[in-house]
Structures are given as structure tokens and as C-alpha cells.
Amino acid sequence: MKKSVLFFSCLALLLGSLWADPIPYPADSEQYNAIKAGRIGKAIEQEQRLPAGIMQSIDFRQESRNGLLVPVDSTFTLALSGNDDSSSGAIPLPFTFDFYGSPQTDFYINNNGNISFGEPFSTYSSTGFPINEFPMFAAFWADVDTRPAASGKVYYKVEPSRVIVTWQQVGYYSNNTDKLNTFQIIFSDGTDPLIGIGNNIAFSYGDMQWTTGDASGGTNGFGGIPATVGLNRGDGIAYALIGSFDHAGSDYMGPAGNSGIDYLDNQLFIFSAQSMAIPPFFTHVPVD
């Protein structure tokens, strides 16, 4: 069993490196834009089903709700102006965040639907989890493009015991705004009553309409390389996965299948990912 786990972990890392295929230019450079634009329609759809036994079991329930846990208002700060694949600088935390036993004191907001620690992360095509060297949580890792005026932007708010980051009605590559996604990450020191004492990460969603950018093999926002939703410790082994999303509809195929994007509409997922001897896991949504 251990050899099988090791084999599939290595296979996932290999495929991840192939899918990521980083471009050796800054994300805001003309060279980067030219190379990425040349990949439109050339991405090969990847199957992201993972073998049983290397992923921590998931325990969550769906709660009937409407929109984000914390709506964006004037107290939020613009995290990133209109861009494609860019990231914020390091943002200091007012508390030490415990991510699976690893203390973090600052973080990066990445345009493509995730938060990372240690360094920014610009990869636009999701590789699924686990991946090595990039501790992150991804409310929706896909090719977000906020350059068009009709697209919303990414906002954040730092409070004494929690951070809120919101992707508000954002479009997808390249300059598409016919479909828009709204989603949010909250992470805390474990004392935030909104997500439940002892929990330290929450993903919440508004209306979700697209899954895939043009350079990731998508057509009209669907198909191609699926978006990833979950947590990644960054050691190539430990992770927790809600699932992958690559088409319209509300079907849910589980963490190892490709599901419909409408399943995420108005969803809320709560995580406990603090010091423990097992990978991060989901907990039930707190009862009001």
C-alpha cells in the first residue's frame, strides 16, 4: 500500500509539473502575454481522478444560504488592480496562522483564485492537489482575468483575528466577461465565531458561472483543464480536496471527479487545518 501511495503521489507531481508549464517571463510583460495567447486552444484536457488512499477523508454538509459569508463593502481594500496571473506582495498577518502545524506570518493573494505562503503563485492552469513546494488554499484555482472593465476585482480585509479575501464577479482568460464568478476565503487564528471556534479556514461562494480559461483548453468558459478547490500543504503528500470543476450543471462527482460549477453556488465549506498528525480536514458547517 505504501509503495502504491508513493507511486501515485509521484505521478501526480509529474503530471502537475507538465500541466503547470510556467512561462519564463513576468506575468505583466509583453512576452508573457504573447506566449500565453499562443496557447489558446492547444491545452489538452487532463483527467484528474486520483487513487483512493492518499487523500484525507472529507466530512462536510451543504447549508442553505445566500452568497458570501462577508459581503464586500467600503471597509475592504483593493488587493489587485485589473490583471492576468499577477499576485500581491507579501501581506503581514496580525496573528500567526497555523497551517497544518506550519506557522505563517504573511501571505500572498494570487489573482487565479488562491492564497499562498512563502512566495506568490502565478500558475493559471490548475494541476490538482497534491503539489510540492506551494502551501496554499484554493477557493477556486483557475485562470481568472480581471483586466476587462466589465470584470470585478479582488478585495481583502485584515482584522485582528481573521483575513477575508474576495474575488468579486471576476471574469476568465482571455478578457471574457460573459460569465462571472464570486467566491471568498476567510482564514483565522481559530477564534473567529463566524466560521466556528477551532476552525481556521472557510470558503464561501456566490454565483459561480465558469470553470476554465481559453489558454487552459476551455471553450466559452468550460471544458479543458478543470479548476481545483481545496487545500495543499506543499509537501506533495498532504491535502484536502472538495473537487475539480469543468462543466455547467449542479452535479457533484466527489473529490476525485469532475463536477458541475453550479454545485458551488451559495456553498460554504469550513476547514480545520491546524496542528495535527493528519492532513487538513473538513468539519461540519457551524449550526446557528
Side-chain angles (χ1 to χ4, degrees):
M1 182 62 183
K2 290 183 178 179
K3 290 183 178 179
S4 176
V5 169
L6 178 60
F7 169 77
F8 283 113
S9 297
C10 293
L11 178 61
L13 291 173
L14 174 61
L15 291 176
S17 67
L18 292 176
W19 296 344
D21 195 15
I23 300 173
Y25 298 104
D28 58 354
S29 68
E30 293 183 5
Q31 296 96 325
Y32 183 101
N33 293 332
I35 291 176
K36 185 174 178 181
R39 295 180 179 178
I40 293 177
K42 296 181 180 179
I44 299 174
E45 183 173 358
Q46 303 290 344
E47 179 59 61
Q48 288 191 296
R49 295 184 185 275
L50 296 171
I54 65 172
M55 180 175 59
Q56 175 65 21
S57 61
I58 295 174
D59 178 21
F60 67 87
R61 69 176 174 85
Q62 182 175 355
E63 183 183 70
S64 177
R65 27 185 320 281
N66 184 23
L68 304 177
L69 268 181
V70 181
V72 173
D73 59 23
S74 61
T75 65
F76 280 72
T77 299
L78 181 67
L80 297 163
S81 58
N83 77 92
D84 174 50
D85 302 338
S86 292
S87 302
S88 71
I91 301 173
L93 285 167
F95 54 87
T96 298
F97 177 72
D98 185 357
F99 187 35
Y100 190 12
S102 177
Q104 306 293 336
T105 56
D106 56 31
F107 68 101
Y108 295 84
I109 299 172
N110 305 305
N111 201 58
N112 290 327
N114 56 71
I115 288 172
S116 59
F117 299 100
E119 60 184 299
F121 189 72
S122 64
T123 301
Y124 58 86
S125 289
S126 164
T127 64
F129 292 150
I131 56 174
N132 205 4
E133 298 180 353
F134 292 104
M136 71 165 73
F137 19 95
F140 195 75
W141 178 11
D143 199 357
V144 175
D145 190 343
T146 60
R147 291 173 297 176
S151 171
K153 302 295 184 284
V154 185
Y155 302 89
Y156 77 106
K157 179 162 62 172
V158 176
E159 297 179 310
S161 63
R162 71 181 181 187
V163 174
I164 308 169
V165 183
T166 304
W167 286 257
Q168 181 79 10
Q169 295 185 316
V170 294
Y172 61 98
Y173 187 85
S174 171
N175 293 291
N176 295 301
T177 57
D178 59 308
K179 302 175 184 70
L180 301 172
N181 285 348
T182 297
F183 53 96
Q184 182 176 83
I185 295 173
I186 298 177
F187 63 106
S188 81
D189 61 0
T191 66
D192 181 13
L194 182 64
I195 65 176
I197 304 300
N199 302 318
N200 63 345
I201 306 171
F203 297 165
S204 65
Y205 299 84
D207 188 17
M208 300 290 287
Q209 301 178 350
W210 63 267
T211 68
T212 315
D214 299 344
S216 303
T219 301
N220 296 322
F222 300 115
I225 299 173
T228 295
V229 177
L231 308 181
N232 182 67
R233 186 188 182 191
D235 60 359
I237 300 172
Y239 66 108
L241 187 65
I242 291 174
S244 301
F245 298 83
D246 69 353
H247 60 271
S250 58
D251 57 298
Y252 179 62
M253 304 303 293
N258 294 333
S259 303
I261 188 61
D262 299 305
Y263 171 78
L264 291 178
D265 287 350
N266 298 314
Q267 278 276 24
L268 171 62
F269 302 103
I270 303 291
F271 302 83
S272 177
Q274 302 183 65
S275 297
M276 58 185 70
I278 58 175
F281 64 91
F282 295 91
T283 62
H284 288 147
V285 175
V287 178
D288 293 334

